[in-house]
Amino acid sequence: ARADTALIVVGGQSQWSGPKGLRIGMPIAALEKANGKPFSLSGLDQDSGGSVLDWKGGAMSSLPGGCKVGGRLAASPKAKDDARAAVAGKELGSGDAALKPAGLTVSEIIIGY
């Protein structure tokens, strides 16, 4: 119902949900399930976490109305520094075993039209 909206960014503690049930705090395994297949993401070498790079043809890559969705994932505050360091500076698949100790969850949802 809004005119000229091109980008919506949701972060913080929001109850808002996006396509396929995407929501803040969603664990990486649930995000992969919603996508229907593994996806790729950047490592956790940035303060704000890693970004989804490619949905790899999954459900999130093809949404109605030309909608494009992306997001950022952050490590659990309880994750140890060595778990974060193990996934820094490289592109990873969402199912990569090195990600599990970091306890990644969705920290930001980005929707573009």
Side-chain angles (χ1 to χ4, degrees):
R2 301 192 187 267
D4 299 324
T5 300
L7 185 69
I8 298 169
V9 179
V10 179
Q13 294 186 354
S14 175
Q15 296 300 314
W16 193 87
S17 65
K20 310 290 183 194
L22 178 62
R23 60 180 167 59
I24 301 294
M26 180 181 234
I28 191 169
L31 182 57
E32 187 176 88
K33 185 176 180 180
N35 189 46
K37 62 189 310 185
F39 57 92
S40 65
L41 63 148
S42 63
L44 302 179
D45 49 337
Q46 301 170 19
D47 290 341
S48 53
S51 296
V52 173
L53 298 174
D54 189 341
W55 293 112
K56 301 290 187 183
M60 297 289 203
S61 65
S62 174
L63 297 171
C67 177
K68 301 288 182 197
V69 66
R72 297 191 64 74
L73 293 102
S76 166
K78 297 177 183 178
K80 296 184 177 173
D81 288 341
D82 61 335
R84 294 171 196 260
V87 295
K90 51 186 141 182
E91 183 175 325
L92 300 158
S94 57
D96 193 309
L99 292 171
K100 191 166 181 127
L104 295 181
T105 60
V106 174
S107 60
E108 186 176 75
I109 300 168
I110 304 163
I111 306 225
Y113 297 92

